[in-house]
Amino acid sequence: MNQLKRHEIFSRWRADNPHPTTELEYSSPFELLIAVLLSAQSTDVGVNKATRKLYPVANTPEAILQLGIEKLKSYVKTIGLYNTKAENIIKTCQILVDQHQSIVPDNREALEALPGVGRKTANVVLNTAFGHPTMAVDTHIFRVGNRTRIAPGKNVLEVEKKLLKVIPKEFLVDAHHWMILHGRYVCTARKPKCGSCLIEDLCEFKEKTEIGCE
């Protein structure tokens, strides 16, 4: 795929959705961090249901530590892998209090040192909370990058590096959200809705379908 096509793809996404953001509900970098920690192998809808009950009770590192592990688990038990996630959240809150004055750091090294925070989670927080031009490659972005040929790669890191290299700079801060939403609702895994896709004429997927959005 050439750069003219890429520019047109992101131009269309921007025109359709000028201010994209995550579907996770949050009102501070800390709330976003906790939501992203909970979201691994879970849906944003499921995470939002849990945090709507948790955050009014505890939405700071100190408040969650005061809540304690067992009460925290009672709020997140509807989420997959909740035991491990709750333990990581408690440990993360302790580190934030002890080492970062209870403030979520806005640099990758410090974020990735937090329990349960990998490269993808750090990228989401850096991009969504702090406006860094990072690419958090999840299954949706990996699929869209490969299927459209915007940035084909054999693994998530390869796709991430390629996207950072080929996406025009004016689109980089929002690109991660446009690609996730496109993969979640249009370029779906089993039955991509090519028939009603904004970028169908630009996409290089060879097995296009006639399916449109219902």
Side-chain angles (χ1 to χ4, degrees), residues 78-144:
T78 53
I79 295 171
L81 308 173
Y82 76 93
N83 281 312
T84 302
K85 290 175 181 178
E87 286 166 11
N88 283 336
I89 287 169
I90 291 288
K91 289 175 189 170
T92 285
C93 288
Q94 195 64 61
I95 292 170
L96 290 176
V97 170
D98 293 344
Q99 299 177 23
H100 300 286
Q101 294 79 50
S102 301
I103 296 167
V104 175
D106 70 346
N107 72 82
R108 177 184 302 284
E109 190 179 8
L111 282 169
E112 289 188 18
L114 299 171
V117 177
R119 185 178 183 87
K120 188 179 82 172
T121 298
N123 278 338
V124 173
V125 174
L126 288 169
N127 176 267
T128 307
F130 301 114
H132 292 218
T134 58
M135 288 298 304
V137 179
D138 65 354
T139 54
H140 297 303
I141 292 182
F142 184 74
R143 179 173 66 254
V144 171

